[in-house]
Amino acid sequence: MMAKINIITFNSMTFSEKTARRFFLDFCWKNHQRHCPACKNRKLYRLSDGRRRCGRCGYTFHDFSRRFLNRCAFTAQQWLWFLKLFSLDVSPAASGEQMAVSYATVLKAADTVRRAILAQALDAPRIYAAGVWPGPGNPMPEQDMVNAPVFGIIQLGGMAICDLLPDLSAENLLHFKLNFYLKTASIGQVVYTAPYKQYQSLVSCGPALWPARYVRHADKRLPVEGSPFWAFSKQRLRQLRGVPASHLPLYLKECELRYNSRDQDLVPVLAQALCAFVPRPPK
Protein backbone atom coordinates (compact mmCIF):
# COMPACT_ATOMS: atom_id res chain seq x y z
CA MET A 1 0.00 0.00 0.00
CA MET A 2 1.34 3.41 -0.98
CA ALA A 3 1.84 6.02 1.74
CA LYS A 4 -0.69 8.81 1.95
CA ILE A 5 0.46 12.25 0.88
CA ASN A 6 -0.45 15.00 3.33
CA ILE A 7 -0.96 18.60 2.27
CA ILE A 8 2.55 19.66 3.34
CA THR A 9 4.15 16.92 1.26
CA PHE A 10 1.90 17.66 -1.71
CA ASN A 11 2.81 21.34 -1.50
CA SER A 12 6.52 20.47 -1.63
CA MET A 13 5.92 18.14 -4.60
CA THR A 14 4.18 20.88 -6.57
CA PHE A 15 6.54 23.65 -5.47
CA SER A 16 8.36 23.64 -8.81
CA GLU A 17 8.39 21.81 -12.12
CA LYS A 18 11.61 20.11 -11.01
CA THR A 19 10.10 18.66 -7.82
CA ALA A 20 6.93 17.56 -9.65
CA ARG A 21 8.96 15.94 -12.40
CA ARG A 22 11.09 14.09 -9.83
CA PHE A 23 7.91 12.61 -8.30
CA PHE A 24 6.84 11.12 -11.64
CA LEU A 25 10.35 9.95 -12.59
CA ASP A 26 10.41 7.69 -9.52
CA PHE A 27 7.49 5.78 -11.10
CA CYS A 28 8.96 5.81 -14.62
CA TRP A 29 12.35 4.20 -14.11
CA LYS A 30 13.04 1.43 -11.61
CA ASN A 31 16.11 2.39 -9.57
CA HIS A 32 16.49 5.31 -12.02
CA GLN A 33 17.88 2.90 -14.63
CA ARG A 34 16.74 4.13 -18.05
CA HIS A 35 16.29 1.91 -21.08
CA CYS A 36 15.01 2.29 -24.61
CA PRO A 37 11.18 2.16 -24.67
CA ALA A 38 11.32 0.47 -28.08
CA CYS A 39 13.84 -2.36 -27.57
CA LYS A 40 14.70 -2.23 -23.80
CA ASN A 41 18.40 -1.71 -24.54
CA ARG A 42 20.31 0.14 -21.79
CA LYS A 43 23.13 1.47 -23.95
CA LEU A 44 21.98 5.06 -24.51
CA TYR A 45 23.51 8.32 -25.73
CA ARG A 46 22.61 11.66 -24.18
CA LEU A 47 21.76 14.35 -26.75
CA SER A 48 22.32 18.09 -26.37
CA ASP A 49 18.57 18.77 -25.99
CA GLY A 50 18.29 16.39 -23.02
CA ARG A 51 16.79 13.48 -24.94
CA ARG A 52 18.44 10.07 -25.25
CA ARG A 53 19.14 7.87 -28.25
CA CYS A 54 19.28 4.09 -28.20
CA GLY A 55 22.63 2.63 -29.22
CA ARG A 56 20.95 -0.46 -30.66
CA CYS A 57 17.83 0.66 -32.57
CA GLY A 58 18.43 4.43 -32.80
CA TYR A 59 15.12 5.36 -31.16
CA THR A 60 15.25 8.88 -29.71
CA PHE A 61 13.17 9.54 -26.62
CA HIS A 62 12.72 11.60 -23.47
CA ASP A 63 11.75 10.38 -19.99
CA PHE A 64 8.00 10.39 -20.66
CA SER A 65 8.02 9.07 -24.25
CA ARG A 66 5.38 6.42 -24.99
CA ARG A 67 3.81 6.86 -21.56
CA PHE A 68 0.26 7.95 -20.78
CA LEU A 69 1.85 10.93 -19.03
CA ASN A 70 3.04 12.24 -22.39
CA ARG A 71 -0.51 13.02 -23.55
CA CYS A 72 -2.27 16.41 -23.12
CA ALA A 73 0.90 18.55 -23.12
CA PHE A 74 0.58 19.05 -19.36
CA THR A 75 3.63 19.97 -17.34
CA ALA A 76 4.49 17.68 -14.42
CA GLN A 77 3.04 20.30 -12.05
CA GLN A 78 -0.21 20.41 -14.01
CA TRP A 79 -0.48 16.64 -14.00
CA LEU A 80 -0.01 16.53 -10.23
CA TRP A 81 -2.71 19.12 -9.65
CA PHE A 82 -5.02 17.35 -12.08
CA LEU A 83 -4.53 14.01 -10.31
CA LYS A 84 -5.36 15.67 -7.00
CA LEU A 85 -8.57 17.16 -8.39
CA PHE A 86 -9.46 13.89 -10.16
CA SER A 87 -8.92 11.89 -6.96
CA LEU A 88 -11.23 14.30 -5.11
CA ASP A 89 -13.94 13.89 -7.79
CA VAL A 90 -13.92 17.56 -8.72
CA SER A 91 -16.06 18.10 -11.82
CA PRO A 92 -14.34 18.68 -15.19
CA ALA A 93 -15.73 22.21 -15.41
CA ALA A 94 -14.47 23.12 -11.93
CA SER A 95 -11.11 21.43 -12.59
CA GLY A 96 -10.64 23.46 -15.76
CA GLU A 97 -11.44 26.64 -13.88
CA GLN A 98 -9.06 25.81 -11.05
CA MET A 99 -6.22 24.93 -13.43
CA ALA A 100 -6.97 27.68 -15.96
CA VAL A 101 -7.17 25.20 -18.85
CA SER A 102 -9.97 24.47 -21.28
CA TYR A 103 -12.83 22.08 -20.57
CA ALA A 104 -11.75 19.97 -23.58
CA THR A 105 -8.22 19.63 -22.14
CA VAL A 106 -9.60 18.44 -18.79
CA LEU A 107 -11.80 15.85 -20.53
CA LYS A 108 -8.79 14.62 -22.49
CA ALA A 109 -6.72 14.36 -19.30
CA ALA A 110 -9.51 12.43 -17.53
CA ASP A 111 -9.79 10.08 -20.50
CA THR A 112 -6.03 9.51 -20.37
CA VAL A 113 -6.12 8.64 -16.67
CA ARG A 114 -9.00 6.21 -17.20
CA ARG A 115 -7.16 4.47 -20.05
CA ALA A 116 -4.08 4.26 -17.83
CA ILE A 117 -6.22 2.64 -15.11
CA LEU A 118 -7.67 0.14 -17.59
CA ALA A 119 -4.17 -0.77 -18.81
CA GLN A 120 -3.33 -2.11 -15.33
CA ALA A 121 -6.26 -4.58 -15.36
CA LEU A 122 -5.56 -8.28 -15.85
CA ASP A 123 -8.23 -8.46 -18.54
CA ALA A 124 -6.95 -5.38 -20.41
CA PRO A 125 -5.75 -7.40 -23.47
CA ARG A 126 -9.23 -8.90 -23.87
CA ILE A 127 -10.85 -5.47 -23.49
CA TYR A 128 -8.60 -4.10 -26.24
CA ALA A 129 -9.48 -7.10 -28.41
CA ALA A 130 -13.16 -6.19 -27.88
CA GLY A 131 -12.52 -2.83 -29.56
CA VAL A 132 -11.55 -0.38 -26.80
CA TRP A 133 -8.78 2.05 -27.81
CA PRO A 134 -5.65 1.43 -25.68
CA GLY A 135 -4.42 5.01 -25.83
CA PRO A 136 -2.02 7.37 -27.65
CA GLY A 137 0.34 5.79 -30.14
CA ASN A 138 -2.24 3.23 -31.22
CA PRO A 139 -4.51 3.56 -34.28
CA MET A 140 -8.07 4.49 -33.47
CA PRO A 141 -10.65 1.70 -34.00
CA GLU A 142 -11.93 1.64 -37.57
CA GLN A 143 -15.54 1.55 -36.34
CA ASP A 144 -17.21 3.05 -33.30
CA MET A 145 -18.26 0.51 -30.70
CA VAL A 146 -22.05 0.13 -30.87
CA ASN A 147 -22.67 -2.16 -27.89
CA ALA A 148 -20.39 -2.39 -24.88
CA PRO A 149 -18.77 -5.68 -23.88
CA VAL A 150 -20.43 -7.58 -21.04
CA PHE A 151 -18.83 -7.49 -17.60
CA GLY A 152 -19.49 -9.75 -14.65
CA ILE A 153 -19.43 -8.20 -11.17
CA ILE A 154 -17.93 -10.09 -8.25
CA GLN A 155 -17.33 -8.81 -4.73
CA LEU A 156 -15.18 -10.97 -2.48
CA GLY A 157 -14.68 -9.61 0.99
CA GLY A 158 -13.67 -6.00 0.58
CA MET A 159 -12.50 -6.32 -3.02
CA ALA A 160 -14.51 -5.92 -6.21
CA ILE A 161 -13.81 -7.28 -9.70
CA CYS A 162 -15.35 -6.17 -13.00
CA ASP A 163 -14.53 -9.16 -15.18
CA LEU A 164 -14.85 -9.01 -18.97
CA LEU A 165 -16.91 -11.91 -20.36
CA PRO A 166 -15.90 -12.14 -24.02
CA ASP A 167 -18.26 -15.05 -24.73
CA LEU A 168 -21.32 -12.93 -23.89
CA SER A 169 -22.79 -9.95 -25.71
CA ALA A 170 -25.48 -7.36 -25.09
CA GLU A 171 -27.74 -9.43 -27.36
CA ASN A 172 -27.21 -12.42 -25.05
CA LEU A 173 -28.36 -10.37 -22.05
CA LEU A 174 -31.56 -9.43 -23.87
CA HIS A 175 -32.06 -13.08 -24.88
CA PHE A 176 -31.67 -14.20 -21.25
CA LYS A 177 -34.22 -11.60 -20.19
CA LEU A 178 -36.87 -12.35 -22.79
CA ASN A 179 -36.51 -16.12 -22.90
CA PHE A 180 -35.19 -17.14 -19.50
CA TYR A 181 -36.68 -14.32 -17.40
CA LEU A 182 -33.36 -12.97 -16.14
CA LYS A 183 -34.28 -9.89 -14.14
CA THR A 184 -32.72 -6.60 -15.25
CA ALA A 185 -32.58 -2.98 -14.13
CA SER A 186 -30.93 0.10 -15.57
CA ILE A 187 -29.03 3.30 -14.83
CA GLY A 188 -29.73 5.44 -17.88
CA GLN A 189 -28.76 3.20 -20.80
CA VAL A 190 -26.55 0.94 -18.64
CA VAL A 191 -28.28 -2.37 -17.90
CA TYR A 192 -27.41 -4.68 -15.01
CA THR A 193 -28.91 -8.06 -14.12
CA ALA A 194 -29.75 -10.54 -11.41
CA PRO A 195 -27.02 -13.10 -10.55
CA TYR A 196 -25.60 -15.17 -13.40
CA LYS A 197 -23.45 -18.22 -12.60
CA GLN A 198 -20.75 -17.04 -10.15
CA TYR A 199 -21.36 -13.34 -10.87
CA GLN A 200 -23.53 -11.08 -8.74
CA SER A 201 -24.58 -9.23 -11.88
CA LEU A 202 -23.86 -8.76 -15.57
CA VAL A 203 -23.43 -5.22 -16.89
CA SER A 204 -23.50 -3.76 -20.41
CA CYS A 205 -25.02 -0.95 -22.45
CA GLY A 206 -25.98 -0.28 -26.04
CA PRO A 207 -28.97 -0.23 -28.41
CA ALA A 208 -29.12 -4.04 -28.55
CA LEU A 209 -30.50 -3.92 -25.00
CA TRP A 210 -33.25 -1.49 -25.99
CA PRO A 211 -34.65 -2.86 -29.28
CA ALA A 212 -38.24 -1.67 -28.78
CA ARG A 213 -40.34 0.49 -26.51
CA TYR A 214 -41.96 -2.48 -24.81
CA VAL A 215 -38.60 -3.73 -23.52
CA ARG A 216 -38.02 -2.27 -20.08
CA HIS A 217 -35.26 -2.92 -17.57
CA ALA A 218 -37.07 -2.00 -14.39
CA ASP A 219 -37.08 -5.03 -12.10
CA LYS A 220 -36.82 -4.27 -8.39
CA ARG A 221 -34.78 -5.64 -5.49
CA LEU A 222 -32.05 -7.33 -7.52
CA PRO A 223 -29.57 -9.07 -5.18
CA VAL A 224 -26.67 -6.93 -6.45
CA GLU A 225 -28.36 -3.90 -4.90
CA GLY A 226 -27.00 -5.11 -1.57
CA SER A 227 -23.40 -4.95 -2.81
CA PRO A 228 -21.44 -1.98 -1.39
CA PHE A 229 -19.40 -1.88 -4.58
CA TRP A 230 -22.44 -1.70 -6.84
CA ALA A 231 -24.07 0.96 -4.64
CA PHE A 232 -20.84 2.96 -5.02
CA SER A 233 -20.70 2.38 -8.80
CA LYS A 234 -24.40 3.17 -9.38
CA GLN A 235 -23.98 6.55 -7.75
CA ARG A 236 -21.03 7.38 -10.00
CA LEU A 237 -22.74 6.13 -13.17
CA ARG A 238 -25.83 8.22 -12.39
CA GLN A 239 -23.68 11.37 -12.31
CA LEU A 240 -22.54 10.82 -15.90
CA ARG A 241 -24.52 12.40 -18.71
CA GLY A 242 -24.83 9.25 -20.72
CA VAL A 243 -22.33 6.43 -21.07
CA PRO A 244 -21.09 5.64 -24.61
CA ALA A 245 -20.56 1.94 -25.19
CA SER A 246 -16.84 2.46 -25.83
CA HIS A 247 -16.43 4.18 -22.45
CA LEU A 248 -18.31 1.78 -20.17
CA PRO A 249 -15.17 -0.38 -19.65
CA LEU A 250 -13.24 2.76 -18.65
CA TYR A 251 -15.85 3.84 -16.10
CA LEU A 252 -16.20 0.34 -14.62
CA LYS A 253 -12.44 -0.04 -14.22
CA GLU A 254 -12.27 3.40 -12.62
CA CYS A 255 -15.00 2.40 -10.15
CA GLU A 256 -13.14 -0.85 -9.46
CA LEU A 257 -9.90 1.01 -8.72
CA ARG A 258 -11.53 3.70 -6.59
CA TYR A 259 -13.43 1.14 -4.54
CA ASN A 260 -10.48 -1.21 -4.03
CA SER A 261 -8.20 1.74 -3.17
CA ARG A 262 -10.70 3.52 -0.92
CA ASP A 263 -8.32 3.37 2.08
CA GLN A 264 -5.36 4.66 0.06
CA ASP A 265 -4.25 8.00 -1.29
CA LEU A 266 -5.28 7.90 -4.95
CA VAL A 267 -2.67 10.39 -6.20
CA PRO A 268 0.33 7.98 -6.13
CA VAL A 269 -1.89 5.11 -7.33
CA LEU A 270 -2.99 7.15 -10.34
CA ALA A 271 0.52 8.51 -10.92
CA GLN A 272 1.92 4.99 -11.12
CA ALA A 273 -0.67 4.05 -13.75
CA LEU A 274 -0.09 7.28 -15.68
CA CYS A 275 3.67 6.65 -15.81
CA ALA A 276 3.29 3.23 -17.40
CA PHE A 277 4.03 2.71 -21.08
CA VAL A 278 0.94 2.76 -23.29
CA PRO A 279 0.38 -0.89 -24.34
CA ARG A 280 0.78 -1.82 -27.98
CA PRO A 281 -1.65 -4.73 -28.46
CA PRO A 282 -0.78 -7.14 -31.30
CA LYS A 283 -2.59 -6.42 -34.56
Side-chain angles (χ1 to χ4, degrees), residues 192-233:
Y192 60 100
T193 75
Y196 175 83
K197 294 186 177 179
Q198 73 268 36
Y199 297 102
Q200 291 177 305
S201 180
L202 303 179
V203 183
S204 186
C205 72
L209 289 160
W210 306 86
R213 289 184 179 180
Y214 70 84
V215 175
R216 298 183 62 198
H217 302 282
D219 291 308
K220 305 296 183 183
R221 295 187 291 277
L222 271 58
V224 74
E225 304 288 0
S227 161
F229 168 69
W230 189 242
F232 169 80
S233 300

Coordinates of all heavy atoms in Angstrom, one line a residue, residues 192-233:
Y192 N -28.0 -3.7 -15.9 CA -27.4 -4.7 -15.0 C -28.5 -5.7 -14.6 O -29.7 -5.5 -14.7 CB -26.8 -4.0 -13.8 CG -27.7 -3.3 -12.9 CD1 -28.2 -3.9 -11.7 CD2 -28.1 -2.0 -13.2 CE1 -29.1 -3.2 -10.8 CE2 -28.9 -1.3 -12.3 CZ -29.4 -1.9 -11.2 OH -30.2 -1.2 -10.3
T193 N -28.0 -6.9 -14.2 CA -28.9 -8.1 -14.1 C -28.9 -8.7 -12.7 O -28.1 -8.3 -11.9 CB -28.5 -9.2 -15.1 OG1 -27.3 -9.8 -14.6 CG2 -28.2 -8.6 -16.5
A194 N -29.8 -9.7 -12.6 CA -29.8 -10.5 -11.4 C -28.5 -11.5 -11.5 O -27.8 -11.5 -12.6 CB -31.0 -11.4 -11.4
P195 N -28.2 -12.2 -10.5 CA -27.0 -13.1 -10.5 C -27.0 -14.0 -11.8 O -28.1 -14.5 -12.2 CB -27.1 -13.9 -9.2 CG -27.9 -13.0 -8.3 CD -28.9 -12.3 -9.2
Y196 N -25.8 -14.3 -12.3 CA -25.6 -15.2 -13.4 C -24.4 -16.0 -13.1 O -23.3 -15.4 -12.9 CB -25.4 -14.4 -14.7 CG -25.1 -15.2 -15.9 CD1 -26.1 -15.8 -16.7 CD2 -23.7 -15.4 -16.3 CE1 -25.8 -16.6 -17.8 CE2 -23.4 -16.1 -17.4 CZ -24.4 -16.7 -18.1 OH -24.1 -17.5 -19.2
K197 N -24.5 -17.3 -13.0 CA -23.4 -18.2 -12.6 C -22.8 -17.7 -11.3 O -23.4 -17.4 -10.3 CB -22.5 -18.4 -13.8 CG -23.1 -19.1 -15.0 CD -22.1 -19.4 -16.1 CE -22.8 -20.2 -17.2 NZ -21.8 -20.5 -18.3
Q198 N -21.4 -17.5 -11.4 CA -20.7 -17.0 -10.2 C -20.8 -15.5 -10.0 O -20.2 -15.0 -9.0 CB -19.3 -17.5 -10.1 CG -18.3 -16.8 -11.1 CD -18.3 -17.5 -12.5 OE1 -19.3 -18.0 -13.0 NE2 -17.1 -17.5 -13.1
Y199 N -21.4 -14.8 -10.9 CA -21.4 -13.3 -10.9 C -22.6 -12.8 -10.2 O -23.7 -13.3 -10.4 CB -21.2 -12.8 -12.3 CG -20.0 -13.2 -13.0 CD1 -19.9 -14.2 -13.9 CD2 -18.8 -12.5 -12.6 CE1 -18.8 -14.6 -14.5 CE2 -17.6 -12.9 -13.2 CZ -17.6 -13.9 -14.2 OH -16.4 -14.3 -14.8
Q200 N -22.4 -11.7 -9.4 CA -23.5 -11.1 -8.7 C -24.4 -10.4 -9.8 O -25.6 -10.2 -9.5 CB -23.0 -10.0 -7.7 CG -22.3 -10.6 -6.5 CD -21.8 -9.5 -5.6 OE1 -21.0 -8.7 -6.0 NE2 -22.2 -9.6 -4.4
S201 N -23.8 -9.9 -10.9 CA -24.6 -9.2 -11.9 C -23.8 -9.2 -13.2 O -22.5 -9.3 -13.1 CB -24.9 -7.8 -11.4 OG -25.6 -7.1 -12.4
L202 N -24.5 -9.1 -14.3 CA -23.9 -8.8 -15.6 C -24.2 -7.3 -15.9 O -25.3 -6.8 -15.6 CB -24.4 -9.7 -16.7 CG -24.3 -11.2 -16.4 CD1 -24.9 -12.0 -17.6 CD2 -22.8 -11.6 -16.2
V203 N -23.3 -6.6 -16.6 CA -23.4 -5.2 -16.9 C -23.0 -5.0 -18.3 O -22.0 -5.5 -18.8 CB -22.6 -4.3 -16.0 CG1 -22.8 -2.8 -16.3 CG2 -22.9 -4.6 -14.5
S204 N -23.8 -4.2 -19.0 CA -23.5 -3.8 -20.4 C -24.4 -2.5 -20.8 O -25.2 -2.1 -20.0 CB -23.7 -4.9 -21.4 OG -23.3 -4.5 -22.7
C205 N -24.2 -2.0 -22.0 CA -25.0 -0.9 -22.5 C -25.0 -0.9 -24.0 O -24.0 -1.5 -24.6 CB -24.6 0.4 -21.9 SG -23.1 1.1 -22.5
G206 N -25.9 -0.3 -24.6 CA -26.0 -0.3 -26.0 C -27.4 -0.5 -26.6 O -28.3 -1.0 -25.9
P207 N -27.6 -0.1 -27.8 CA -29.0 -0.2 -28.4 C -29.5 -1.6 -28.5 O -30.7 -1.8 -28.5 CB -28.8 0.4 -29.8 CG -27.3 0.3 -30.1 CD -26.7 0.5 -28.8
A208 N -28.6 -2.7 -28.5 CA -29.1 -4.0 -28.5 C -30.0 -4.4 -27.3 O -30.8 -5.3 -27.4 CB -28.0 -5.0 -28.7
L209 N -29.8 -3.7 -26.2 CA -30.5 -3.9 -25.0 C -31.8 -3.2 -25.0 O -32.7 -3.4 -24.1 CB -29.7 -3.5 -23.8 CG -28.5 -4.4 -23.5 CD1 -27.5 -3.7 -22.6 CD2 -28.9 -5.7 -22.8
W210 N -32.0 -2.3 -25.9 CA -33.3 -1.5 -26.0 C -33.8 -1.5 -27.4 O -34.0 -0.5 -28.1 CB -32.9 0.0 -25.6 CG -32.2 0.1 -24.3 CD1 -30.9 0.0 -24.1 CD2 -32.8 0.4 -23.0 NE1 -30.6 0.2 -22.7 CE2 -31.8 0.5 -22.1 CE3 -34.2 0.6 -22.6 CZ2 -32.1 0.7 -20.7 CZ3 -34.4 0.8 -21.3 CH2 -33.4 0.9 -20.3
P211 N -34.2 -2.7 -27.9 CA -34.7 -2.9 -29.3 C -36.0 -2.3 -29.6 O -36.4 -2.0 -30.7 CB -34.6 -4.4 -29.5 CG -34.9 -4.9 -28.1 CD -34.3 -4.0 -27.2
A212 N -36.9 -2.2 -28.6 CA -38.2 -1.7 -28.8 C -38.8 -1.0 -27.5 O -38.2 -1.3 -26.4 CB -39.2 -2.8 -29.2
R213 N -39.8 -0.2 -27.7 CA -40.3 0.5 -26.5 C -40.9 -0.4 -25.4 O -40.8 -0.1 -24.2 CB -41.5 1.4 -27.0 CG -41.0 2.6 -27.8 CD -42.2 3.5 -28.1 NE -41.8 4.7 -28.9 CZ -42.6 5.6 -29.3 NH1 -43.9 5.5 -29.0 NH2 -42.1 6.7 -30.0
Y214 N -41.4 -1.6 -25.8 CA -42.0 -2.5 -24.8 C -40.9 -3.1 -23.9 O -41.2 -3.7 -22.9 CB -42.8 -3.6 -25.5 CG -42.1 -4.6 -26.3 CD1 -41.5 -5.7 -25.6 CD2 -41.9 -4.5 -27.6 CE1 -40.8 -6.7 -26.3 CE2 -41.2 -5.4 -28.4 CZ -40.7 -6.5 -27.7 OH -40.0 -7.5 -28.4
V215 N -39.7 -3.1 -24.3 CA -38.6 -3.7 -23.5 C -38.2 -2.7 -22.4 O -37.7 -1.6 -22.7 CB -37.4 -4.1 -24.4 CG1 -36.2 -4.6 -23.5 CG2 -37.7 -5.2 -25.4
R216 N -38.4 -3.1 -21.2 CA -38.0 -2.3 -20.1 C -37.1 -3.0 -19.1 O -37.3 -4.3 -19.0 CB -39.3 -1.8 -19.3 CG -40.2 -1.0 -20.2 CD -41.4 -0.5 -19.3 NE -41.0 0.3 -18.2 CZ -41.7 0.6 -17.2 NH1 -42.9 0.1 -17.0 NH2 -41.2 1.4 -16.2
H217 N -36.2 -2.3 -18.5 CA -35.3 -2.9 -17.6 C -35.6 -2.2 -16.2 O -34.9 -1.3 -15.8 CB -33.8 -2.7 -18.0 CG -33.5 -3.3 -19.4 ND1 -33.3 -4.6 -19.6 CD2 -33.4 -2.7 -20.6 CE1 -33.1 -4.9 -20.8 NE2 -33.1 -3.7 -21.5
A218 N -36.6 -2.7 -15.6 CA -37.1 -2.0 -14.4 C -37.4 -2.9 -13.3 O -38.3 -2.6 -12.4 CB -38.3 -1.1 -14.8
D219 N -36.8 -4.1 -13.2 CA -37.1 -5.0 -12.1 C -36.5 -4.5 -10.8 O -35.5 -3.7 -10.8 CB -36.5 -6.4 -12.4 CG -37.2 -7.1 -13.5 OD1 -38.4 -7.2 -13.5 OD2 -36.5 -7.5 -14.5
K220 N -37.2 -4.8 -9.7 CA -36.8 -4.3 -8.4 C -36.1 -5.3 -7.5 O -36.3 -6.5 -7.7 CB -38.1 -3.8 -7.7 CG -38.9 -2.8 -8.5 CD -38.1 -1.5 -8.7 CE -39.0 -0.5 -9.4 NZ -38.3 0.8 -9.8
R221 N -35.4 -4.8 -6.5 CA -34.8 -5.6 -5.5 C -33.9 -6.7 -6.1 O -33.9 -7.9 -5.6 CB -35.8 -6.2 -4.6 CG -36.6 -5.2 -3.8 CD -37.5 -5.8 -2.7 NE -38.6 -6.5 -3.4 CZ -39.7 -5.9 -3.8 NH1 -39.9 -4.6 -3.6 NH2 -40.7 -6.6 -4.4
L222 N -33.0 -6.4 -7.0 CA -32.0 -7.3 -7.5 C -31.0 -7.6 -6.4 O -30.6 -6.6 -5.7 CB -31.4 -6.8 -8.8 CG -32.1 -7.2 -10.1 CD1 -33.5 -6.7 -10.2 CD2 -31.2 -6.6 -11.3
P223 N -30.5 -8.8 -6.3 CA -29.6 -9.1 -5.2 C -28.3 -8.2 -5.2 O -27.8 -7.8 -4.1 CB -29.2 -10.5 -5.4 CG -30.4 -11.1 -6.1 CD -30.9 -10.0 -7.0
V224 N -27.9 -7.7 -6.4 CA -26.7 -6.9 -6.5 C -26.9 -5.6 -5.8 O -25.9 -4.9 -5.4 CB -26.2 -6.8 -7.9 CG1 -27.1 -5.8 -8.7 CG2 -24.8 -6.3 -8.0
E225 N -28.1 -5.2 -5.6 CA -28.4 -3.9 -4.9 C -27.8 -3.9 -3.5 O -27.5 -2.8 -2.9 CB -29.9 -3.6 -4.8 CG -30.6 -3.6 -6.2 CD -30.3 -2.4 -7.0 OE1 -29.5 -1.6 -6.6 OE2 -30.8 -2.4 -8.2
G226 N -27.6 -5.1 -2.9 CA -27.0 -5.1 -1.6 C -25.5 -5.1 -1.6 O -24.9 -5.1 -0.5
S227 N -24.9 -5.0 -2.7 CA -23.4 -4.9 -2.8 C -22.9 -3.5 -2.6 O -23.3 -2.6 -3.3 CB -23.0 -5.4 -4.2 OG -21.6 -5.0 -4.5
P228 N -22.0 -3.3 -1.6 CA -21.4 -2.0 -1.4 C -20.7 -1.4 -2.6 O -20.8 -0.2 -2.9 CB -20.5 -2.2 -0.2 CG -21.0 -3.4 0.5 CD -21.5 -4.3 -0.6
F229 N -20.1 -2.3 -3.4 CA -19.4 -1.9 -4.6 C -20.4 -1.4 -5.6 O -20.2 -0.3 -6.2 CB -18.6 -3.0 -5.2 CG -18.1 -2.7 -6.6 CD1 -17.1 -1.7 -6.8 CD2 -18.6 -3.3 -7.7 CE1 -16.7 -1.4 -8.1 CE2 -18.2 -3.0 -9.0 CZ -17.2 -2.0 -9.2
W230 N -21.5 -2.1 -5.8 CA -22.4 -1.7 -6.8 C -23.2 -0.4 -6.4 O -23.5 0.4 -7.2 CB -23.4 -2.8 -7.2 CG -24.2 -2.5 -8.4 CD1 -25.6 -2.3 -8.5 CD2 -23.7 -2.2 -9.7 NE1 -26.0 -2.0 -9.7 CE2 -24.8 -1.9 -10.5 CE3 -22.5 -2.2 -10.3 CZ2 -24.7 -1.6 -11.9 CZ3 -22.3 -1.8 -11.6 CH2 -23.5 -1.5 -12.4
A231 N -23.5 -0.3 -5.1 CA -24.1 1.0 -4.6 C -23.1 2.1 -4.9 O -23.6 3.2 -5.4 CB -24.3 0.9 -3.1
F232 N -21.8 1.9 -4.7 CA -20.8 3.0 -5.0 C -20.8 3.3 -6.5 O -20.8 4.4 -6.9 CB -19.5 2.5 -4.5 CG -18.3 3.3 -5.0 CD1 -17.9 4.4 -4.3 CD2 -17.5 2.8 -6.0 CE1 -16.8 5.2 -4.7 CE2 -16.4 3.6 -6.4 CZ -16.1 4.8 -5.8
S233 N -20.8 2.2 -7.3 CA -20.7 2.4 -8.8 C -22.0 3.0 -9.4 O -21.9 3.9 -10.3 CB -20.5 1.0 -9.5 OG -19.2 0.5 -9.0

